[in-house]
Amino acid sequence: MLNTSDSQNTTRDLAFSNLVNLSNQQGIDPDEYRARQLEIVKRTTPHMMLANITAAGLVSWVAWSSPVFKVVTIWAVVMSCVSGFMLIRGWLKSRRIRAEVRRKVGPEATRRAEMHAALLGALWGALPAATFTTAPAEVSFIIMGVVMGACGLGAFNLSRIPSAALVYASIVTSALAGAAFAIGGRSGLAAALLGTIYGFALGAMILKTHYETLQRASAQKSLENQNEIIKLLLRDFESGTMDWLWETDAKGRLQYASERLTQLIGRPLEAVLGKPLLDAVCNGQSAEGWAEIQSRMVNHHVIESVNVPLVNQGVVSWWQINAEPIVNEQQRFEGYRGVAVDITETRRAADDMLAAKQAAERANAAKSQFLAVISHELRTPLNSILGYAELATSERHEPVEEEEQAEYLQNILEQSRHLNRLINDILDITRIEKGNMK
């Protein structure tokens, strides 16, 4: 915002052609600003010229039987000729350069507008100056109303060029006030005072209107700069990352997508814009995760951390989609804007971890089964050894014959060897797992 001193400088600068200082403060290119303002005035000037011609005819009709009819008629002819010339000249010029829009103009264009405004102001000011002292009161009253109306209309038309509008309004209101003062008496003084107040009021409105126009232009320029910065940041973001941005309209049709998406799906950007998001990225084929996104978009819900695949020539990449609904100031839904984050490596790491976990679970199950089998194999010979040993050492009424005792010992020896082989096999397996087998 401008402070008090800046506002005073702004008001002074508005009255002249040179807008450089003001434009530097507001961040506006003065040549571009003049071009836009002059273009607006050119579009409305034909209406003003037609109004001048109509008003000239009306004044001539009012003064038909008055002493000032001849003067008014001469003035009306001059006003009609000047207005008609400006009207035709502007029309021919617009036809000649209709296809060419001037983006920049210098201060000389503003000075030409001031000269045209001074000419029209002098013509309107000449009417009361030439008629007030000799015209009947009712004619003077009508002339005064027409002149004030023309002054207001012209000032409004030229308000985009404040210096020209001020020149026009000051000439007309000064001539009107002077002519009214020349009448003399209370009515003349009142009319002169009214014309003066009207002129100051028009001047203040011209300056205020132009100041607000400048403020809007400055805000628009700031918004354009911010949008440009955002575009640059987005371009840098898109070029420096694997992620991609996207945006849809209220019907779910893709309105914007990063170039990165075209590389992922193998289709040009023109082929996917305007299509539903699911059709654009999956080519109409249903895929894991995309159905959930479609459901959330239909219900206008936030899309958060939904993992989806993209397949291009058999290569699968995984992306995490995050997006929020776009809502305007009237709380009307306008679409979605979101980002897709590359989680391919994270997904692969998770898949590898899951595969390793499943392999470890299978290994544990196999080990448990192996231990169960080994436990049974160990208990069988051990039980046999213990049984024959108990028979050989037990106290019985009849002594154990040598042949029977030899059989017991032979069974114990065989089972011991079998047990020894099992233990050696277990030790070999352990060494193999540790990598110490020689």
Side-chain angles (χ1 to χ4, degrees):
M1 296 295 293
L2 299 174
N3 56 30
T4 305
S5 60
D6 291 336
S7 299
Q8 293 174 352
N9 293 333
T10 298
T11 304
R12 288 196 298 271
D13 291 339
L14 285 171
F16 301 96
S17 302
N18 186 2
L19 299 175
V20 174
N21 294 332
L22 175 65
S23 300
N24 286 341
Q25 294 175 1
Q26 298 285 340
I28 303 172
D29 186 333
D31 294 338
E32 290 182 359
Y33 181 79
R34 288 192 197 95
R36 289 196 299 269
Q37 301 304 86
L38 285 169
E39 188 64 28
I40 294 174
V41 172
K42 287 178 181 179
R43 288 199 297 265
T44 57
T45 296
H47 302 88
M48 179 181 173
M49 297 302 104
L50 289 174
N52 287 343
I53 296 172
T54 303
L58 175 64
V59 173
S60 297
W61 178 73
V62 170
W64 176 265
S65 58
S66 66
V68 295
F69 173 70
K70 185 180 294 186
V71 175
V72 170
T73 301
I74 295 173
W75 171 88
V77 171
V78 174
M79 173 61 77
S80 298
C81 290
V82 171
S83 298
F85 172 76
M86 290 184 177
L87 178 63
I88 296 173
R89 179 174 177 271
W91 179 70
L92 292 175
K93 190 174 181 180
S94 65
R95 283 176 58 88
R96 187 171 64 253
I97 61 173
R98 180 173 297 174
E100 178 185 356
V101 179
R102 300 183 64 184
R103 298 188 178 277
K104 290 188 177 184
V105 294
E108 65 278 0
T110 305
R111 285 192 286 271
R112 286 195 297 269
E114 293 169 357
M115 293 175 59
H116 294 159
L119 175 60
L120 288 176
L123 284 174
W124 276 111
L127 179 60
T131 59
F132 269 16
T133 54
T134 57
E138 62 274 11
V139 175
S140 298
F141 177 77
I142 294 175
I143 289 176
M144 182 176 181
V146 172
V147 172
M148 292 181 70
C151 182
L153 179 62
F156 175 77
N157 177 70
L158 296 169
S159 60
R160 297 287 183 168
I161 312 173
S163 55
L166 289 174
V167 168
Y168 176 82
S170 60
I171 291 175
V172 175
T173 54
S174 296
L176 183 62
F181 185 78
I183 296 176
R186 183 177 298 178
S187 59
L189 183 61
L193 182 61
L194 177 62
T196 303
I197 295 173
Y198 184 65
F200 279 109
L202 281 178
M205 286 189 293
I206 290 169
L207 293 178
K208 180 175 175 58
T209 300
H210 192 62
Y211 176 74
E212 291 177 350
T213 303
L214 280 172
Q215 292 294 95
R216 288 194 296 270
S218 177
Q220 181 65 26
K221 189 68 176 181
S222 299
L223 182 60
E224 291 175 358
N225 292 337
Q226 291 176 3
N227 290 337
E228 193 65 28
I229 292 173
I230 291 173
K231 288 180 181 178
L232 291 175
L233 292 175
L234 288 176
R235 193 176 299 118
D236 292 341
F237 167 80
E238 293 175 353
S239 61
T241 183
M242 298 292 289
D243 305 337
W244 49 277
L245 306 174
W246 58 277
E247 182 176 333
T248 67
D249 60 11
K251 295 183 178 179
R253 295 173 297 197
L254 197 63
Q255 300 298 306
Y256 171 81
S258 303
E259 289 291 339
R260 173 66 179 156
L261 177 62
T262 63
Q263 302 172 9
L264 294 170
I265 62 178
R267 302 169 66 191
L269 195 59
E270 297 77 11
V272 298
L273 292 180
K275 291 187 176 181
L277 180 63
L278 188 60
D279 292 341
V281 297
C282 299
N283 200 18
Q285 300 177 0
S286 60
E288 178 184 352
W290 290 108
E292 181 181 355
I293 290 179
Q294 188 72 15
S295 175
R296 295 190 183 187
M297 292 179 67
V298 170
N299 296 303
H300 303 168
H301 292 166
V302 175
I303 301 172
E304 185 175 3
S305 302
V306 179
N307 298 337
V308 295
L310 286 178
V311 182
N312 182 21
Q313 297 180 353
V315 179
V316 181
S317 58
W318 283 88
W319 301 85
Q320 186 177 89
I321 306 297
N322 294 277
E324 290 190 359
I326 304 173
V327 182
N328 60 18
E329 296 179 354
Q330 290 76 33
Q331 299 302 310
R332 182 179 299 173
F333 174 74
E334 293 187 342
Y336 272 90
R337 184 180 294 121
V339 60
V341 180
D342 187 3
I343 59 167
T344 303
E345 295 301 325
T346 304
R347 178 83 179 201
R348 288 174 181 170
D351 291 342
D352 293 343
M353 185 178 297
L354 179 60
K357 180 182 177 183
Q358 292 174 348
E361 291 175 351
R362 288 194 297 269
N364 286 333
K367 186 177 293 185
S368 298
Q369 185 178 5
F370 171 76
L371 290 175
V373 173
I374 289 298
S375 176
H376 174 73
E377 292 295 329
L378 290 174
R379 281 197 300 268
T380 300
L382 187 59
N383 290 334
S384 180
I385 292 171
L386 290 175
Y388 285 112
E390 288 177 355
L391 289 174
T393 59
S394 63
E395 295 182 359
R396 296 169 33 175
H397 298 289
E398 297 179 358
V400 179
E401 297 180 1
E402 291 182 3
E403 184 179 351
E404 187 177 0
Q405 188 175 14
E407 183 182 353
Y408 291 163
L409 292 175
Q410 182 64 33
N411 286 330
I412 292 173
L413 179 61
E414 290 177 359
Q415 295 300 324
S416 299
R417 289 173 178 172
H418 179 60
L419 183 60
N420 183 59
R421 286 194 300 270
L422 288 175
I423 293 174
N424 287 334
D425 290 341
I426 293 172
L427 292 176
D428 289 342
I429 292 173
T430 304
R431 292 191 190 99
I432 291 172
E433 289 181 348
K434 292 183 178 180
N436 297 329
M437 188 67 181
K438 294 182 180 180

